[in-house]
Amino acid sequence: MELYHGTTQIIQEIDLTRGRHRTDFGQGFYLGSNLDVAQRWAKSRAAFSGRPIVMKYALNDAIFSDKSVNPLVFVEPTLEWLDFVRDNRHKG
């Protein structure tokens, strides 16, 4: 599976502690499967400083069957998704 991250800097190593608090999906490193969305995000970030960069990552689908990993996958907005977003926006 190919995933993308829109940014303004080349990321050598992912650091989950650098993410912002009170975001829709919590502090972390965001990836998405839509290249266009990543490009638009990179451009919007570059409007403040830097140049738009889209990082591409390959994720092995087997990660979803690994019992030591607890991924949340939302294919579409649901009540569970809405609760998750609300809870993250209010975490301190």
Side-chain angles (χ1 to χ4, degrees), residues 25-74:
F25 300 106
Q27 183 179 17
F29 187 77
Y30 290 84
L31 297 168
S33 59
N34 189 314
L35 176 58
D36 184 54
V37 171
Q39 289 171 332
R40 283 184 287 165
W41 180 255
K43 287 178 185 174
S44 71
R45 303 295 297 164
F48 298 101
S49 69
R51 63 184 177 94
I53 297 171
V54 174
M55 305 289 294
K56 180 176 160 181
Y57 297 88
L59 180 69
N60 185 333
D61 292 348
I63 192 78
F64 295 110
S65 58
D66 184 335
K67 300 299 181 200
S68 69
V69 176
N70 187 21
L72 291 176
V73 178
F74 299 108

